[in-house]
């Protein structure tokens, strides 16, 4: 999910590392699933400041992501 969040923002691992203060190696390890929880929490907070919200699973759906900076509707883009 954290790699998807990065891609939604249109950033490379190196760009996230520079922007967040987390080392590129740690970003790689987080996305691979082998980093400590403190690093993961720091990255989640970083993405949260940029409008990414992680959604916990419910009884009918799995984990998800919402981008708060995306507005409007697809209907607004349809030609008449």
């Amino acid at each position: 999910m954290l790699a998807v969040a990065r891609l939604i923002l249109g950033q490379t691992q190196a760009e996230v590392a520079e922007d967040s203060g987390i080392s590129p190696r740690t970003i790689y390890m987080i996305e691979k699933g082998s980093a400590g929880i403190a690093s993961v929490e720091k990255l989640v907070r970083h993405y949260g400041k940029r409008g990414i919200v992680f959604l916990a699973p419910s009884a009918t759906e799995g984990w998800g992501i919402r981008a708060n900076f995306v507005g409007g509707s697809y209907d607004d883009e349809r030609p008449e």
Side-chain angles (χ1 to χ4, degrees):
M1 296 302 293
L2 292 167
V4 172
R6 175 176 57 78
L7 294 173
I8 288 171
L9 293 171
Q11 292 187 309
T12 65
Q13 288 181 344
E15 290 169 334
V16 170
E18 183 178 326
D19 199 29
S20 68
I22 301 170
S23 75
R25 172 87 175 136
T26 301
I27 299 291
Y28 169 78
M29 290 174 60
I30 289 170
E31 290 185 3
K32 184 179 170 190
S34 60
I37 190 68
S39 297
V40 172
E41 289 174 342
K42 184 175 181 181
L43 188 57
V44 167
R45 284 191 304 274
H46 168 77
Y47 288 146
K49 291 176 184 176
R50 280 142 190 85
I52 299 291
V53 178
F54 295 92
L55 307 172
S58 69
T60 59
E61 297 178 339
W63 288 95
I65 293 178
R66 181 176 62 231
N68 284 340
F69 57 85
V70 178
S73 164
Y74 287 113
D75 291 334
D76 296 340
E77 297 178 11
R78 291 185 184 163
E80 295 190 26

